[in-house]
């Protein structure tokens, strides 16, 4: 029963139109049901029906894919795993069995690649360099935090490459080509540094190891690429760096050792011909050095009290202090006679040494010069193996001698010094300066980046073990023995990995080209469908006359009730007749028999018996592309490829098969670290 509303309109006769979302859903569902699913089903049935043999499995294309899978896994996973695993603390630490050393990781010269690094490099190559260097540093640093899990991570300067060039609100770059990079660009670089190092510092966890006070990261030491050098430093640039990373001059008690970080690039402005006008640059470092010994003692006292569970400082005495004495009042300390901890100096620029002072056997770019025949000791003067004593625009390879002497005297009792800047490893012993023991042993740490001129980047691992009593006296059996052990940790040679990828790519091209040539020569079979027979039954193309000659009964007038004459005749000939979808096309007017073509010639029976007849072609292109043979209409088949065309087709086809799978695997590896 039809129900009408107040306006006489049947209820439910009209409805709201579909939303775009619902229409899109229906289109997507139809596409999946009628396009994607049939293809997937055909592929699944083909796989199920295929007879798997060793010959079908061990094809050249599949072998190349497997080789690429192994090569990429080696280059993107195994080389990093093996290099970091070789640096495990237990592999080289040599302390007593009951020792619980404090472990430090030194990272030098990341120098994140930016427009300042390769100013003439074109866009695609420069972008790829940034991406791959960041990825390399992030991978190695993250894995070190997971596997080595250092208690303290300290950076030795040059965090950025062009940090000194990016303008602030009050300064501009000295070079015109960099003045378009302002403070916002520096902030983006700072965020990039944080995403690489700060975000992955806790990948191995945040909890301190048993017996250790906690985990720490120190990144405040500036380099010449961060600030500039000496009089080239702009105050605004340094203030910006200090605001985000902290003061470059600082002291830390780490593992019962006193770490003294010194902003040596700013200190180098002291002693310049116009140094009085540069006082704002060098004065903070000079004041820091002036109070260095006093500050060291106070920090040691504070640390010893904290280890005993006491307050860092004694309570104030409740005395009346005159106004004149208030200015000189300082925090009280319990005792000034405690034993100092061993002192370690951190500086970006290496200390001065005589020209030609050799750096030792671990220097990569310039290994030691072989000694003369009959001499076993290394050369005392080796210019090739040494850090060159020179300087230039915004850099100086080593500090001036007078500044080095001043540092050694005012800091006092320096045992070790760790520096950066040179990008390669260098180890020397300075015996000409005030130090604790037989001299200051300085290690210049390798750069962690593979874009800084060294094939094998590296970091330095330092193990500290110095048990003391409540007054700072050593509890070691041999109190004069070393409290520091170091180990150079070499990282993967990324350039070698790329070279191996390139060599394998060349082998892939050659082997696929040979395969294509063998297929064209008929020696090998093709795996593509370009020249293979159709998987479906086909029809032999014969004319009507030929059909009548082959089967005289083909033109007999069938009984009107014989509905299987065509199929029976086809089965007798062993061929399959195909009925085109166009045969079912009807015209819009029923006056002509509902679109059926009028009978022609001697045919008086219904034309349904002639299923597949098109009638006259209405389009010239259709007439060219279609041909009627008897009762079957098919498109002309393309001629088979031969010669160079076949070689090129097989080469491209096989290369695409390898490339699609290999690149999918490669992108998965670089995204899922």
């Amino acid at each position: 029963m039809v129900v009408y509303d107040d306006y006489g309109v049947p209820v439910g006769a009209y409805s709201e139109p579909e939303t775009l979302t619902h229409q899109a859903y229906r289109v997507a569902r139809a596409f999946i049901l009628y396009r994607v699913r049939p293809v997937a089903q055909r592929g699944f049935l083909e796989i199920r029906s295929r007879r798997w043999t060793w010959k079908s499995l061990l094809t050249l294309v599949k072998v190349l894919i497997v080789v690429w899978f192994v090569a990429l896994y080696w280059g993107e996973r195994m080389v990093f795993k093996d290099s970091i695993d070789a640096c495990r603390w237990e592999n080289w630490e040599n302390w007593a069995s009951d020792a619980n050393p404090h472990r430090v990781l030194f990272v030098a010269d990341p120098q994140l690649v930016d427009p300042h690094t390769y100013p003439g490099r074109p866009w695609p190559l420069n972008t790829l360099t940034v991406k791959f260097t960041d990825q390399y540093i992030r991978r190695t640093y993250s894995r070190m935090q997971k596997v080595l899990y250092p208690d303290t991570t300290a950076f030795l300067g040059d965090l950025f490459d062009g940090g000194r060039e990016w303008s602030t609100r009050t300064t501009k770059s000295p070079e015109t080509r960099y003045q378009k990079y302002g403070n916002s660009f520096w902030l983006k670089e700072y965020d990039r540094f944080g995403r690489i190092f700060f975000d992955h510092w806790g990948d191995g966890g945040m909890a301190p190891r048993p017996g250790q006070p906690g985990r720490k990261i120190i990144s405040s030491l500036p380099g010449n690429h961060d600030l500039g050098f000496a009089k080239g430093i702009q105050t605004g640039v340094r203030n910006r760096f200090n605001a985000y990373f902290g003061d470059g001059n600082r002291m830390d008690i780490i593992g019962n050792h006193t770490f003294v970080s010194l902003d040596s690039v700013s200190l180098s402005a002291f002693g310049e011909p116009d140094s009085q006008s540069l006082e704002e640059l060098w004065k903070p470092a000079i004041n820091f050095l002036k109070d260095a010994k006093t500050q060291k003692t106070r920090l040691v006292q504070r640390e010893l009290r904290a280890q005993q569970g006491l307050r860092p400082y004694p309570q104030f005495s409740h005395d009346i202090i005159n106004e004149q004495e208030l200015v000189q009042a300082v925090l009280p300390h319990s005792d000034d006679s405690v034993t100092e901890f061993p002192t370690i100096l951190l500086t970006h620029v290496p200390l001065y040494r005589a020209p030609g002072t050799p750096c030792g056997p671990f220097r990569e770019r310039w290994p030691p010069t072989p000694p003369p025949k009959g001499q076993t000791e290394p050369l005392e003067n080796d210019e090739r193996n040494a850090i060159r004593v020179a300087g230039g625009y915004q850099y100086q390879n080593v500090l001036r001698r007078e500044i080095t002497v001043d540092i050694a005297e005012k800091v006092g009792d320096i045992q070790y010094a760790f520096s950066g800047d040179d990008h390669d490893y260098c180890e020397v012993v300075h015996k000409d300066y005030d130090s604790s023991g037989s001299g200051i042993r300085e290690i210049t740490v390798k750069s962690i980046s593979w874009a800084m001129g060294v094939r094998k980047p590296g970091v330095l691992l330092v193990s500290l073990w110095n048990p003391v009593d409540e007054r700072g006296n050593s509890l070691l059996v041999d109190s004069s023995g070393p409290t520091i052990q170091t180990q150079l940790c070499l990282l993967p040679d990324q350039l070698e990995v790329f070279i191996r990828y390139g060599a394998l790519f060349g082998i892939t091209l050659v082997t696929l080209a040979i395969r294509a040539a063998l297929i064209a020569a008929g020696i090998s079979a093709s795996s593509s469908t370009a020249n293979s027979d159709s998987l479906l039954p086909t029809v032999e193309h014969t004319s009507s006359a030929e059909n009548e000659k082959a089967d005289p009964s083909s033109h007999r007038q069938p009984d009107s009730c014989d509905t299987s004459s065509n199929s029976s005749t086809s089965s007798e000939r062993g061929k399959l007749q195909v009925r085109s979808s166009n045969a079912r096309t009807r015209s819009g007017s029923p006056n002509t028999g509902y679109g059926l073509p009028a009978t022609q010639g001697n045919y008086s029976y219904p034309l349904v018996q002639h299923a597949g007849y098109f009638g006259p072609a209405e389009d010239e292109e259709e007439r060219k592309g279609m041909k009627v043979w008897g009762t079957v209409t098919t498109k002309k088949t393309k001629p088979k490829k031969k010669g160079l065309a076949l070689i090129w087709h097989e080469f491209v086809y096989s290369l695409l098969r390898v490339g699609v799978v290999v690149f999918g695997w490669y992108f998965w590896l670089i995204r899922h670290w």
Side-chain angles (χ1 to χ4, degrees):
M1 180 178 179
V2 180
V3 180
Y4 297 88
D5 61 12
D6 296 338
Y7 299 95
V9 178
V11 176
Y14 301 99
S15 61
E16 291 293 331
E18 290 183 336
T19 63
L20 291 177
T21 303
H22 191 266
Q23 294 180 28
Y25 167 76
R26 289 198 302 104
V27 171
R29 184 175 180 274
F31 179 78
I32 294 174
L33 289 177
Y34 301 110
R35 293 293 184 182
V36 177
R37 189 169 69 174
V39 173
Q41 289 176 344
R42 287 198 300 270
F44 177 72
L45 292 175
E46 182 181 350
I47 292 174
R48 286 189 60 185
S49 62
R50 182 177 297 176
R51 297 180 61 186
W52 297 98
T53 62
W54 286 109
K55 186 176 181 181
S56 64
L57 290 175
L58 296 179
T59 62
L60 178 62
V61 171
K62 294 174 183 175
V63 170
L64 286 174
I65 290 175
V66 172
V67 171
W68 271 106
F69 263 58
V70 175
L72 290 175
Y73 187 80
W74 167 82
E76 305 301 320
R77 290 292 188 273
M78 293 305 299
V79 292
F80 293 93
K81 178 180 181 298
D82 293 342
S83 63
I84 303 301
D85 287 349
C87 301
R88 289 181 179 270
W89 305 94
E90 57 269 19
N91 293 344
W92 56 271
E93 280 181 329
N94 188 24
W95 302 114
S97 58
D98 60 340
N100 183 18
H102 188 95
R103 293 162 173 172
V104 182
L105 167 67
F106 280 113
V107 179
D109 300 89
Q111 282 190 228
L112 301 184
V113 175
D114 55 30
H116 178 267
T117 311
Y118 305 106
R121 184 167 291 188
W123 163 72
L125 186 58
N126 191 59
T127 302
L128 290 175
T129 304
V130 171
K131 179 177 178 57
F132 281 106
T133 52
D134 285 4
Q135 175 181 274
Y136 178 92
I137 297 173
R138 182 174 58 253
R139 284 181 174 182
T140 53
Y141 181 79
S142 174
R143 186 156 188 86
M144 284 186 289
Q145 296 296 331
K146 293 177 182 178
V147 176
L148 303 178
Y149 200 62
D151 301 307
T152 299
T153 301
F155 292 81
L156 296 174
D158 274 359
L159 312 183
F160 309 110
D161 188 68
R164 67 193 180 202
E165 305 292 347
W166 316 141
S167 303
T168 68
R169 295 177 180 177
T170 59
T171 63
K172 287 188 177 181
S173 172
E175 297 192 48
T176 306
R177 56 180 172 174
Y178 298 129
Q179 290 180 356
K180 60 181 179 180
Y181 300 100
N183 192 59
S184 59
F185 185 83
W186 187 93
L187 291 175
K188 292 179 181 178
E189 293 297 286
Y190 173 77
D191 178 68
R192 176 180 161 207
F193 181 90
R195 284 185 277 109
I196 295 175
F197 292 106
F198 297 154
D199 289 356
H200 293 278
W201 176 62
D203 283 358
M206 299 297 293
R209 291 191 306 113
Q212 299 299 328
R215 302 193 71 219
K216 180 181 292 188
I217 182 170
I218 302 174
S219 58
S220 58
L221 188 68
N224 59 301
H225 280 267
D226 300 317
L227 307 185
F229 188 82
K231 62 181 180 180
I233 298 176
Q234 300 184 78
T235 305
V237 172
R238 188 178 67 176
N239 292 342
R240 178 179 61 189
F241 184 89
N242 291 350
Y244 284 87
F245 289 100
D247 194 348
N249 303 300
R250 59 179 290 170
M251 285 190 188
D252 298 273
I253 301 296
I254 301 174
N256 289 345
H257 290 73
T258 304
F259 281 67
V260 180
S261 301
L262 182 63
D263 179 6
S264 54
V265 293
S266 298
L267 178 62
S268 296
F270 184 74
E272 293 283 341
D274 53 347
S275 61
Q276 292 301 321
S277 61
L278 306 173
E279 182 177 357
E280 189 177 6
L281 296 178
W282 52 259
K283 190 171 183 179
I286 290 294
N287 292 338
F288 174 77
L289 288 176
K290 186 188 305 181
D291 298 331
K293 291 183 179 179
T294 303
Q295 183 68 8
K296 282 200 308 178
T297 302
R298 292 177 178 175
L299 286 179
V300 170
Q301 292 174 354
R302 179 179 177 179
E303 177 67 20
L304 291 175
R305 289 179 61 85
Q307 292 179 7
Q308 299 172 45
L310 304 175
R311 294 181 178 180
Y313 299 103
Q315 294 183 352
F316 282 98
S317 59
H318 296 278
D319 297 332
I320 298 177
I321 300 177
N322 296 327
E323 184 179 354
Q324 294 78 8
E325 299 175 356
L326 183 61
V327 178
Q328 301 176 353
V330 295
L331 289 173
H333 291 77
S334 58
D335 192 356
D336 290 337
S337 62
V338 297
T339 302
E340 287 190 6
F341 292 156
T343 302
I344 298 174
L345 176 68
L346 306 183
T347 170
H348 175 70
V349 184
L351 302 178
Y352 178 83
R353 75 286 311 277
T357 303
C359 286
F362 296 114
R363 193 163 178 79
E364 177 185 330
R365 284 177 298 181
W366 303 107
T369 303
K373 201 170 184 178
Q375 180 179 336
T376 58
E377 295 294 328
L379 300 179
E380 294 184 1
N381 189 290
D382 189 353
E383 289 283 353
R384 182 171 177 268
N385 183 243
I387 292 179
R388 185 165 168 262
V389 180
Y393 172 73
Q394 297 280 41
Y395 81 93
Q396 192 169 292
N397 293 337
V398 297
L399 296 173
R400 296 199 308 272
R401 179 180 178 82
E402 56 272 19
I403 289 182
T404 305
V405 171
D406 194 45
I407 294 172
E409 290 179 352
K410 291 182 177 178
V411 174
D413 297 333
I414 302 174
Q415 281 194 0
Y416 269 80
F418 298 102
S419 57
D421 186 67
D422 188 65
H423 299 172
D424 206 350
Y425 188 87
C426 182
E427 184 172 353
V428 298
V429 178
H430 301 279
K431 298 182 179 180
D432 298 334
Y433 309 120
D434 183 26
S435 64
S436 175
S438 58
I440 302 174
R441 181 173 296 275
E442 180 183 2
I443 295 179
T444 300
V445 182
K446 271 194 164 192
S447 171
I448 194 176
S449 173
W450 67 278
M452 292 297 117
V454 288
R455 289 284 297 271
K456 287 189 175 182
V459 295
L460 188 70
L461 304 179
V462 177
S463 181
L464 309 174
W465 177 236
N466 182 34
V468 295
D469 59 16
E470 66 276 5
R471 299 187 63 81
N473 298 313
S474 176
L475 297 177
L476 295 173
V477 176
D478 182 8
S479 58
S480 61
T483 60
I484 301 176
Q485 294 179 10
T486 64
Q487 175 71 17
L488 170 63
C489 180
L490 293 176
L491 303 179
D493 185 348
Q494 183 66 62
L495 189 58
E496 180 186 0
V497 173
F498 286 155
I499 290 174
R500 293 196 180 188
Y501 287 169
L504 182 56
F505 180 69
I507 294 173
T508 301
L509 295 180
V510 172
T511 53
L512 292 180
I514 295 174
R515 171 186 175 276
L518 294 176
I519 291 174
I523 300 175
S524 179
S526 172
S527 60
S528 69
T529 59
N531 294 317
S532 61
D533 293 336
S534 175
L535 297 177
L536 298 175
T538 58
V539 177
E540 182 179 351
H541 299 162
T542 57
S543 64
S544 301
E546 291 174 346
N547 288 337
E548 184 177 0
K549 183 179 180 181
D551 190 358
S553 63
S554 61
H555 273 233
R556 67 177 179 85
Q557 291 192 4
D559 191 351
S560 60
C561 295
D562 186 4
T563 60
S564 61
S565 61
N566 287 341
S567 60
S568 63
T569 305
S570 299
S571 62
E572 291 175 2
R573 291 197 300 264
K575 303 181 178 60
L576 178 66
Q577 290 185 340
V578 181
R579 182 174 179 178
S580 174
S581 61
N582 293 331
R584 296 188 294 270
T585 306
R586 299 177 183 266
S587 67
S589 173
N591 297 330
T592 59
Y594 291 94
L596 296 175
T599 59
Q600 298 179 10
N602 298 324
Y603 296 105
S604 59
Y605 46 83
L607 288 180
V608 71
Q609 302 294 337
H610 292 267
Y613 175 72
F614 283 92
E618 296 179 358
D619 187 83
E620 185 64 24
E621 295 297 326
E622 182 180 358
R623 184 178 296 110
K624 292 180 180 179
M626 310 296 290
K627 185 175 182 181
V628 179
W629 285 290
T631 59
V632 179
T633 304
T634 60
K635 288 187 177 181
K636 291 182 178 180
T637 58
K638 294 182 179 180
K640 293 184 178 181
K641 293 182 173 64
K642 297 180 180 179
L644 293 178
L646 179 57
I647 293 176
W648 177 251
H649 170 79
E650 288 295 335
F651 175 75
V652 173
Y653 175 77
S654 56
L655 184 61
L656 287 176
R657 288 182 63 192
V658 175
V660 169
V661 179
V662 168
F663 274 103
W665 172 239
Y666 177 69
F667 287 128
W668 188 90
L669 287 174
I670 62 177
R671 286 186 62 86
H672 298 80
W673 172 248

